Amino acid sequence: MSVPTATGALLAEDGVRFAVRATGLLAEFNARGVLAATDVQVAHRLGRLGGETDEQVLLAAALTVRALRAGSVCLDLSAVDRTVLAEGDELVDTSDLRWPEPESWTAACAASPLVAADDATATGHPLRLVDGLLYLDRYWRQEEQVRGALATRAAAPPPVVDEARLRAALDRLFRGGPDATDAAQRRAVAVCTLRWISVLAGGPGTGKTTTVATLLAVLRDQDPSLRIALAAPTGKAAARMQEALAEVDLPPGDRERLAGPSASTIHRLLGPIRGSSRFRFDRHRRLPYDVVVVDETSMVSLTLMARLLEAVRPDARLVLVGDPDQLASVEAGAVLGDLVAAPADPEPHLDHALERVGAPGPPVTGGVTVLDRTWRFHGTIAALAAAIRAGDADAAVAALRAGQHDVVFVEDADLTVRDPAGLRALRDEVVGAASETELAALDGDAPLALSRLDEHRLLCAHRRGPFGVTRWAADVERWLLEAGPVADRDEEWYPGRPLLVTANDHDRGVYNGDTGVVIATPKGPRAVFARGNAPIAIAPSLLDAVTTVHAMTVHRAQGSQFARVSVILPPAESPLLTRELLYTAVTRARVTVRLVGSEEAVRAAIARPIGRASGLRRHR
């Protein structure tokens, strides 16, 4: 039985959409805003197809669909009120709703003709119940596919490695030895060399890119003929990966070993088929690479990870790189976080091999190594980020109020009014950075204009409303006009106009999320975008999907870094205000971060980690 598309009559009332024919529990949860009309319609359709009338089962089916829209892979029947609402459109007080008792709810679902048990041979059921987790069958199979691929790789004989050559390479590239400050990076390179699949986790500025570049040099030192693929979930992340690797300082001989591979999106790597959700490379036709490195893995969904794992050859190394504490994929799944958190069996043979190559340390499980030393920023920003990541609200508030130059906390400004009191410094910083960008753009100096563009960035959690990008972008535009613009803004492509690309354009080499700036040239205005040491310049008339960017969402900023960042926090009750969003926003800054909001909002965010239900996190 396939899961149907939700259709049916909807009634709009005060901005809430209701399923007209909903009754019982479905109507109650729909009326409260927990369920959307589409969730209810899917549950009704499943019930009719499978002959199921138990309203508890139909509620579970609707909540499972709702959970997928919120980013979860499945529905945890014992904790649904905590997981299903974690990333919804609005926070809802569900304490007085008629939540079914977990044990009877699970029993009702297990007895339903709609639900299969944990049996891979069972077919024809749209839902599957495993260890109290209710899945749409498709997502259970994808999760099993990921788990099975990981288990197969872990059980296979390890890659053949010349350990003496590996130790010599590690000694050459990490000159401080196994006890130096870069010992964690040395150990990570060794783990990734000695395993078929490995996870390199760490926050911004912890040396992940340097570690990857060193790893590639070490692998090519072992075998110069290795075919290497570099990939990321978005075009922007792929471009940044390529640029960052090119900037890593390595000895000349090792730098030459990095020549050849260029980064692409995972979709392009797998080869999309027009009009299909499948790819050219799959379990029947494997990717022709010996090493595949995926950056920004936190943004990879369960579905895409399943497709990638089936396409990578069993005798190819796969290295997954990313920060598990950042915002996860907009689609269902948080695979990187699951892999880092999931329990795994010890690997004594790997630990012994690590000692032999001079990379000793705590036992490695699941091929996961975590870099936790921050090289990019220090002081209060580092302390604030660590407190947020650890869920320590008291320490985070203390860091915000420490009075240090690198963290500024603007409390309780009334952001619902025009030009709130207390934001003069923010206005001056925005206007100053824009003016410097415009001056460089008028001079036609692309590198300087791009550098000035990244001096300061205004970030918001919301897109609309008094705390959103739309409002603050308009305010910034007004501030700039009132300050007396350097450039003539009557022209559409005025020098200094900051640009945001909103769709991939592979022909021009720009990608969704890229930022650039218009500069003056003898041939007319050109839009320039950073690409390492050689920015690319494009005639504006050739760009189809760009907009002016005076402010951007935290989601858009993921994967980017700015010298100074100002963050507009929404009220504490905003469902978008999560620990991961606050952590991602704070760690975009290299030098200074300014938080505009309330202590209540900060504490609410830290107390609200994104709850994505997944069976992969329980066991691998």
Side-chain angles (χ1 to χ4, degrees):
M1 184 189 302
S2 61
V3 177
T5 301
T7 58
L10 302 177
L11 175 65
E13 180 179 311
D14 296 329
V16 179
R17 297 172 71 86
F18 297 100
V20 175
R21 291 184 293 273
T23 59
L25 287 174
L26 289 177
E28 181 180 336
F29 278 67
N30 176 223
R32 187 63 65 84
V34 175
L35 293 176
T38 50
D39 305 328
V40 175
Q41 297 295 341
V42 170
H44 277 157
R45 182 63 173 155
L46 288 175
R48 287 195 296 271
L49 290 175
E52 178 60 79
T53 59
D54 188 329
E55 66 174 358
Q56 291 188 92
V57 176
L58 297 181
L59 174 64
L63 287 170
T64 300
V65 177
R66 168 68 173 78
L68 286 168
R69 289 195 293 106
S72 290
V73 173
C74 54
L75 181 74
D76 186 344
L77 294 173
S78 66
V80 59
D81 56 330
R82 294 193 300 274
T83 58
V84 75
L85 302 178
E87 293 181 272
D89 298 328
E90 59 183 67
L91 289 179
V92 180
D93 180 6
T94 66
S95 59
D96 61 341
L97 288 175
R98 290 186 296 143
W99 290 99
E101 192 278 324
E103 287 190 11
S104 63
W105 201 8
T106 302
C109 290
S112 172
L114 299 178
V115 180
D118 184 6
D119 179 2
T121 63
T123 59
H125 302 272
L127 301 170
R128 190 171 293 265
L129 182 65
V130 182
D131 295 333
L133 303 178
L134 188 64
Y135 297 79
L136 290 184
D137 186 70
R138 168 190 171 189
Y139 289 90
W140 176 79
R141 292 187 181 278
Q142 288 177 357
E143 191 175 272
E144 284 300 293
Q145 183 179 344
V146 169
R147 183 183 287 108
L150 296 173
T152 298
R153 287 177 170 272
V160 176
V161 174
D162 183 335
E163 292 185 357
R165 192 174 186 89
L166 173 57
R167 178 156 193 159
L170 294 175
D171 288 342
R172 180 177 71 252
L173 292 163
F174 298 99
R175 296 188 178 127
D179 298 322
T181 55
D182 57 6
Q185 292 171 285
R186 175 189 179 107
R187 184 171 173 79
V189 169
V191 170
C192 296
T193 303
L194 294 165
R195 270 185 128 256
W196 289 119
I197 185 166
S198 50
V199 176
L200 175 60
T206 53
K208 297 190 298 294
T209 300
T210 299
T211 303
V212 169
T214 308
L215 168 66
L216 298 181
V218 166
L219 292 175
R220 281 269 176 85
D221 182 59
Q222 289 278 322
D223 182 355
S225 67
L226 285 178
R227 295 164 295 179
I228 297 172
L230 307 175
T234 67
K236 171 188 172 184
R240 297 294 181 271
M241 181 187 192
Q242 182 103 25
E243 295 166 16
L245 288 174
E247 294 171 357
V248 174
D249 184 22
L250 292 175
D254 293 296
R255 164 54 59 188
E256 293 171 4
R257 294 188 176 97
L258 268 63
S262 59
S264 73
T265 65
I266 299 174
H267 282 82
R268 293 196 79 187
L269 177 71
L270 295 176
I273 299 174
R274 186 181 297 273
S276 171
S277 61
R278 302 295 300 184
F279 296 96
R280 288 193 304 116
F281 293 102
D282 55 20
R283 70 188 66 187
H284 305 295
R285 184 185 183 189
R286 307 282 185 151
L287 288 166
Y289 298 103
D290 305 299
V291 181
V292 177
V293 180
V294 180
D295 197 14
E296 296 288 358
T297 310
S298 65
M299 293 190 285
V300 178
S301 68
L302 174 68
T303 299
L304 189 56
M305 182 61 72
R307 298 288 80 83
L308 176 66
L309 283 169
E310 73 175 4
V312 177
R313 297 198 333 260
D315 59 345
R317 289 180 177 86
L318 177 61
V319 183
L320 305 176
V321 185
D323 184 353
D325 297 308
Q326 285 191 22
L327 290 164
S329 166
V330 295
E331 300 177 40
V335 178
L336 181 67
D338 289 343
L339 296 184
V340 172
D345 295 331
E347 302 176 62
H349 296 295
L350 175 62
D351 293 330
H352 293 324
L354 290 170
E355 291 182 3
R356 292 194 297 271
V357 300
V364 174
T365 58
V368 176
T369 51
V370 179
L371 304 179
D372 56 10
R373 179 188 174 93
T374 301
W375 302 85
R376 181 174 298 157
F377 47 71
H378 304 281
T380 318
I381 294 181
L384 176 59
I388 296 169
R389 188 174 60 245
D392 190 338
D394 289 339
V397 171
L400 287 170
R401 291 184 171 154
Q404 300 300 312
H405 70 281
D406 54 345
V407 171
V408 178
F409 190 26
V410 182
E411 287 191 78
D412 300 323
D414 185 359
L415 302 184
T416 63
V417 302
R418 178 168 172 165
D419 292 335
L423 294 189
R424 184 67 200 186
L426 170 61
R427 177 172 178 156
D428 291 344
E429 189 157 26
V430 168
V431 171
S435 298
E436 291 180 0
T437 303
E438 289 183 3
L439 287 171
L442 285 166
D443 289 340
D445 190 334
L448 182 59
L450 288 167
S451 174
R452 293 290 185 260
L453 181 68
D454 285 347
E455 277 296 303
H456 179 268
R457 187 56 49 89
L458 181 60
L459 303 180
C460 304
H462 291 192
R463 294 185 183 277
R464 292 173 293 275
F467 312 96
V469 168
T470 303
R471 175 262 173 96
W472 286 94
D475 278 4
V476 171
E477 186 70 29
R478 177 171 53 81
W479 294 346
L480 296 176
L481 290 173
E482 291 174 352
V486 178
D488 181 5
R489 285 193 173 79
D490 290 335
E491 298 292 330
E492 179 182 8
W493 302 104
Y494 63 86
R497 178 188 172 189
L499 302 175
L500 172 69
V501 178
T502 57
N504 291 338
D505 185 343
H506 298 291
D507 293 335
R508 312 296 171 202
V510 293
Y511 305 98
N512 187 6
D514 274 346
T515 54
V517 63
V518 178
I519 67 168
T521 76
K523 296 181 179 180
R526 291 292 184 267
V528 294
F529 299 88
R531 288 295 181 268
N533 295 323
I536 60 173
I538 303 171
S541 60
L542 299 177
L543 294 172
D544 293 327
V546 293
T547 186
T548 303
V549 56
H550 290 308
M552 67 196 312
T553 64
V554 177
H555 280 81
R556 283 275 193 189
Q558 191 162 351
S560 300
Q561 289 288 321
F562 310 98
R564 304 185 305 279
V565 165
S566 296
V567 185
I568 304 298
L569 294 180
E573 58 268 21
S574 167
L576 297 181
L577 192 58
T578 64
R579 183 184 302 174
E580 289 79 2
L581 182 132
L582 183 59
Y583 170 80
T584 302
V586 165
T587 55
R588 297 313 91 202
R590 296 191 306 272
V591 180
T592 305
V593 62
R594 174 190 288 106
L595 286 186
V596 181
S598 65
E599 177 183 335
E600 182 185 14
V602 172
R603 290 185 178 276
I606 294 173
R608 194 183 294 146
I610 293 175
R612 291 197 169 189
S614 163
L616 194 61
R617 183 174 292 251
R618 293 187 175 183
H619 53 88
R620 291 171 55 176

